[in-house]
Amino acid sequence: MTGVNEIRSAFLDYFGKNDHQIVESGPLVPRNDPTLMFANAGMNQFKNVFTGLETRDYARAATAQKVVRAGGKHNDLDNVGYTARHHTFFEMLGNFSFGDYFKERAIEHAWTLITREYGLPAEKLLVTVYSEDEDAAVLWKKIAGLTDDRIIRIPTSDNFWTMGDTGPCGPCSEIFYDHGDHVAGGPPGSPDEDGDRFIEIWNLVFMQYEQTADARLDLPRPSIDTGMGLERLAAILQGVHNNYDIDLFKAIIGASVNVTGVEAEGDALASHRVIADHLRSTAFLIADGVLPSNEGRGYVLRRIMRRGMRHAHLLGAKDPVLFKLIPTLIREMGQAYPELGRAEALITETLTLEEKRFGKTLDRGMGLLESATSDLGEGGQLDGETAFKLYDTYGFPLDLTQDALRPRGIQVDTDAFDAAMARQKAEARANWSGSGGTATDTIWFGLKEKFGATEFLGYETEKAEGVV
Ligand code: ATP
Ligand code: MG
Ligand code: MG
Ligand code: MG
């Protein structure tokens, strides 16, 4: 069996041999892109190279990039535990050409690598192309010998990549693997495409246009940006369907079974998977300088951590347990990402502290949630006041409450939740100005409103952690 570490190395070796500069992963917190919450694709660190703002002394590169998709444009948090193929943290393998080779060479590289180096059976592969990109369809026939029925033409924006409203853009072509008819799901472009039978493994983006405010121009030197999910590729190479069954996740889930004493089967399976996933995001985010807080990136991290903790609680854990999984994670991934080992003490302390804090209110909050929903069946709705109380007094982020109720088909009245939040803000403002409002107060409340509730929860959550 080929382990994740060897699969990653084989990718980088292949492109290294083909004159690509092997570049280290960029950090999860992008250095020069305030518009981006977390790195969500391999191309992020090269954005300015693609637009021409920056030049490098190489025109081809390959990376294994750390990616978190748990907020902003790509948010896969709610998919974790429900699909076979989504993580909040994953590694994206990519090769890039900055005005060097283009479509033909990119398709050749991709096809050679997956069918010859990795040895995937060609008959299980199919591709999508943008419906207007006849060149790509012709190249797939020529290079891979794919027949028309396995080149699916997609007319939607799914197969047309843009960097923003303006800037480089172009069609893309995605490679899918058919896991077989024992898995539910239809081919890309079909109504049932969100199933897990045909799994997208690699996205090739052909940046060939420049979108300006009023025209789409041909780029004189088109570029290539690709991204392949390492864990999805590993699943195929290891003969398993679900990403969570690959060697790396088996090790972490095995450790989770050990520390909780609950086997990974039945209802517990999803919890172990969520724990393993959220542990990776947590550790990698902390290693890259994010700490749990009540605003911005730190609040996304806190939400991920608390969701993981609720699953540990579901498995019966009464004391902090997640921090005990860190050594396993470092054993599996520390060689490829030495920052994990360097930050081990910080990760362990941060996680333990957060587990202790939330542990104080988690159990009681779950009790309140149970009693408030005991009469509700599928299709029911939790009132916004209770959801707000859970949030305000027990430190339950709204999405954690929603996640807890989802298996029972119960929703949260989010309008009423928002109303309760707005009322509390208004009350706080009134109390504050009652004690002699100043210009500074006005600025403070203005900021709080501008950035929204999730960004400024300091005192609410402190209160939650302090009293109970
Ligand atoms: P999907 O349609 O399955 O959600 P995507 O189209 O959003 O994937 P891209 O943005 O094209 O994904 O990212 C490039 C590659 O990264 C995908 O082809 C896939 O292999 C991998 N990938 C994307 N999202 C995830 C995720 N949440 N977890 C693991 N791998 C992912
Ligand atoms: Mg997606
Ligand atoms: Mg897709
Ligand atoms: Mg894609």
Side-chain angles (χ1 to χ4, degrees), residues 69 85-86 158-159 174 176 194 200 203 232:
R69 291 190 170 183
R85 67 185 200 278
H86 287 107
D158 274 353
N159 279 65
E174 298 187 321
F176 286 74
D194 278 337
E200 175 189 330
N203 189 357
R232 294 185 188 186

Side-chain angles (χ1 to χ4, degrees), residues 132-350:
E132 288 167 34
D133 189 6
E134 199 44 39
D135 294 350
V138 168
L139 287 168
W140 277 116
K141 279 186 212 169
K142 182 178 121 186
I143 295 164
L146 290 180
T147 46
D148 263 320
D149 56 320
R150 289 200 291 137
I151 302 174
I152 300 171
R153 291 165 163 81
I154 306 278
T156 66
S157 60
D158 274 353
N159 279 65
F160 194 88
W161 180 88
T162 56
M163 193 178 278
D165 292 339
T166 57
C169 58
C172 50
S173 181
E174 298 187 321
I175 305 174
F176 286 74
Y177 181 83
D178 179 2
H179 278 270
D181 57 15
H182 61 288
V183 186
S190 74
D192 201 13
E193 67 175 358
D194 278 337
D196 274 330
R197 173 174 168 184
F198 295 88
I199 291 195
E200 175 189 330
I201 54 173
W202 203 347
N203 189 357
L204 314 179
V205 179
F206 310 128
M207 280 185 214
Q208 64 191 88
Y209 306 113
E210 161 98 34
Q211 183 70 47
T212 66
D214 42 29
R216 186 176 287 173
L217 314 168
D218 284 331
L219 278 175
R221 293 170 63 221
S223 289
I224 291 293
D225 155 31
T226 84
M228 170 155 64
L230 172 60
E231 298 81 357
R232 294 185 188 186
L233 173 64
I236 300 169
L237 293 175
Q238 297 180 12
V240 296
H241 168 246
N242 194 301
N243 279 16
Y244 291 89
D245 290 330
I246 65 175
D247 59 331
L248 164 66
F249 276 104
K250 266 206 218 126
I252 305 173
I253 290 173
S256 173
V257 167
N258 280 342
V259 301
T260 57
V262 180
E263 288 303 324
E265 53 194 29
D267 286 347
L269 181 59
S271 290
H272 283 296
R273 287 176 172 167
V274 172
I275 288 171
D277 174 84
H278 291 11
L279 180 83
R280 293 213 303 167
S281 287
T282 298
F284 275 94
L285 284 170
I286 296 172
D288 277 359
V290 184
L291 290 174
S293 73
N294 294 317
E295 57 180 48
R297 295 184 172 109
Y299 193 58
V300 176
L301 170 60
R302 172 160 280 165
R303 283 165 45 214
I304 293 173
M305 292 169 97
R306 293 191 171 185
R307 281 170 82 128
M309 287 166 207
R310 187 187 68 83
H311 280 277
H313 181 265
L314 267 182
L315 296 179
K318 294 275 174 263
D319 297 314
V321 288
L322 299 185
F323 78 93
K324 295 182 185 161
L325 309 180
I326 300 294
T328 308
L329 175 66
I330 294 180
R331 198 160 56 239
E332 296 295 318
M333 300 192 71
Q335 208 170 350
Y337 297 99
E339 63 268 38
L340 279 184
R342 287 196 295 267
E344 180 167 7
L346 178 65
I347 299 168
T348 308
E349 268 166 41
T350 309

Side-chain angles (χ1 to χ4, degrees), residues 59-82:
R60 305 167 173 198
T63 60
Q65 170 69 45
K66 303 179 278 190
V67 162
V68 167
R69 291 190 170 183
K73 180 177 157 197
H74 292 282
N75 185 353
D76 287 332
L77 193 49
D78 286 333
N79 286 326
V80 173
Y82 293 92

Side-chain angles (χ1 to χ4, degrees), residues 40 70 222:
N40 62 16

